[in-house]
Each structure stands twice: as structure tokens, then as C-alpha cells.
Amino acid sequence: AQSVTQPDIHITVSEGASLELRCNYSYGATPYLFWYVQSPGQGLQLLLKYFSGDTLVQGIKGFEAEFKRSQSSFNLRKPSVHWSDAAEYFCAALKYNNNDMRFGAGTRLTVKP
Amino acid sequence: DAGVIQSPRHEVTEMGQEVTLRCKPISGHDYLFWYRQTMMRGLELLIYFNNNVPIDDSGMPEDRFSAKMPNASFSTLKIQPSEPRDSAVYFCASSLRPNDYGYTFGSGTRLTVV
């Protein structure tokens, strides 16, 4: 079955530290991959997306993600976290020519001062 | 562009009442999606439209839920009668071409059924 897994429910990092949020997908063929961020009481904002080509994708707010086909992963990274990055992060996948975007369960990021 | 606009932002209603959630997609977007977010089940696709036509409603929980898109700029999600287990945040999203651009989400409607 098609699914997106985010193994970490909650992550805490110190401000200025690096961040990596994990995402794995299970699809027959490589889907389109997305990372969204949700601040409390807000909708989901698109951070970045991967369709094909360069496996390192740059997004907004200083985020990047790396697609690794061999590991079926699409991990999100940021070199130096800011307090304003505290939010919930969702990985999502969309099968080609299909409009049912599947979301992971989300990872809640807490940033310590 | 004002983005995807949902109303109301919050709705509190009594069990058994009818609830209508509203969504205005981004102008020019041909796709509109309704999602529900709960702690237990995460984000679930309820239904989506393409060019105002419902394409897939397999995620609609039961007959108490219905959705319409009478024109390209407006959609409603109705629950009648509402039950406490319907309490959730309901998101509307729209897209020009999902495979190329992903979705743009509204701010959601937080529904509480008491």
C-alpha cells in the first residue's frame, strides 16, 4: 500500500543547531515528494518539492531536502535552526497522474533557546 | 492573490446540527481538495474536484458528509447531522496542476461538535 512514514513524532533541537527530519515512502514507483510546515492554528505551507533531476532540493526558509532512491527517503535538513522554525512538519507524496496526496503523521519540532 | 480562503475559522455546534464549511480556491486553480486533520488519523483526503466535478469521494466518512462545488470559485462541505466525532480541523486546498505545483492550503476550519 502507498504510504509515507515519518519515524519521529517529536524532535527537540537547540537554536543554532542543525536539523534533519526523516521521511520514508512506500510506492511502486518514485512519487512526487513534498515537505510542508504547519504553524499552530495555521494551514500547511509548502517548503519544497521534488519531481525529478537533482536529488538535493532547495526550499524556502533555508530548508533543503535530499532524495535517496536506494533508501526510499526524502529527509529535510536545515544547517542552523531558528526559534521561529518551531512547528509541525509534514512529508507528503503524490503518485504520478494521481491526485491523492498522502501525508506522513508529522514531526513536531521544538526549538530550545 | 489572497490564497485559499476558508470560513469560518472556528465553528462550535451542538450534536445533531447541520454544519457548512466554505472554501474559495485560488483563482485559476482547477483542482480543489477537502482534507480533515485529527490527532488520531492525521491528514485525510475527503474529496477532490477537478473543474467543479467531484472526482474521488472515497474518503468521505459517511452519508452525513456531502460536498459541492457549484462554480470555480466556491465549494462547501456539509455535515448533517453533526456528531462529536466529527470534531477536527478541516482544510481546503487548491492546485493548478498537482503534479507540477503541489497544493496550496487554506488556514482551515476548526470544528467542535458538543
Side-chain angles (χ1 to χ4, degrees):
Chain A
Q2 299 165 0
S3 66
V4 178
T5 303
Q6 293 179 247
D8 305 305
I9 296 174
H10 184 206
I11 283 183
T12 299
V13 299
S14 297
E15 190 168 16
S18 64
L19 171 70
E20 181 167 25
L21 302 182
R22 296 184 291 164
C23 173
N24 294 94
Y25 63 89
S26 176
Y27 278 70
T30 301
Y32 299 130
L33 295 161
F34 306 82
W35 275 100
Y36 285 87
V37 60
Q38 184 181 29
S39 298
Q42 301 298 313
L44 282 74
Q45 180 184 22
L46 181 65
L47 286 175
L48 47 78
K49 57 185 182 287
Y50 172 77
F51 293 147
S52 65
D54 194 345
T55 56
L56 187 62
V57 181
Q58 301 298 318
I60 62 171
K61 304 186 179 188
F63 285 92
E64 65 179 25
E66 185 172 15
F67 168 68
K68 291 186 178 179
R69 184 190 305 275
S70 60
Q71 299 178 17
S72 296
S73 70
F74 187 57
N75 293 349
L76 182 71
R77 302 195 295 242
K78 187 169 185 178
S80 176
V81 169
H82 188 262
W83 64 267
S84 61
D85 294 323
E88 185 115 21
Y89 291 81
F90 291 92
C91 182
L94 187 61
K95 188 178 172 183
Y96 178 71
N97 270 346
N98 180 290
N99 295 310
D100 181 2
M101 185 178 286
R102 301 288 177 94
F103 288 83
T107 298
R108 184 160 62 92
L109 173 66
T110 298
V111 180
K112 292 190 303 184
Chain B
D1 198 320
V4 177
I5 300 173
Q6 291 186 246
S7 63
R9 287 297 309 273
H10 302 275
E11 177 80 44
V12 180
T13 190
E14 291 185 347
M15 183 173 63
Q17 296 300 306
E18 177 180 295
V19 176
T20 299
L21 312 181
R22 297 171 175 78
C23 175
K24 176 179 169 55
I26 291 174
S27 177
H29 282 195
D30 295 329
Y31 292 85
L32 184 138
F33 305 84
W34 282 100
Y35 277 84
R36 179 172 66 176
Q37 185 180 37
T38 61
M39 289 292 293
M40 292 298 296
R41 301 174 67 90
L43 278 155
E44 304 173 276
L45 177 65
L46 299 177
I47 185 172
Y48 82 89
F49 296 82
N50 180 212
N51 292 322
N52 312 337
V53 176
I55 303 299
D56 184 354
D57 64 355
S58 59
M60 296 285 262
E62 47 196 276
D63 292 346
R64 297 184 298 105
F65 285 69
S66 63
K68 293 182 179 179
M69 192 164 187
N71 56 63
S73 59
F74 184 65
S75 176
T76 59
L77 178 67
K78 186 177 294 185
I79 308 173
Q80 165 64 20
S82 58
E83 297 181 3
R85 60 192 168 118
D86 302 330
S87 298
V89 181
Y90 291 82
F91 287 104
C92 177
S94 70
S95 180
L96 178 60
R97 284 195 302 273
N99 283 177
D100 292 334
Y101 302 107
Y103 304 168
T104 301
F105 282 81
S107 297
T109 295
R110 180 174 294 278
L111 173 65
T112 303
V113 183
V114 298

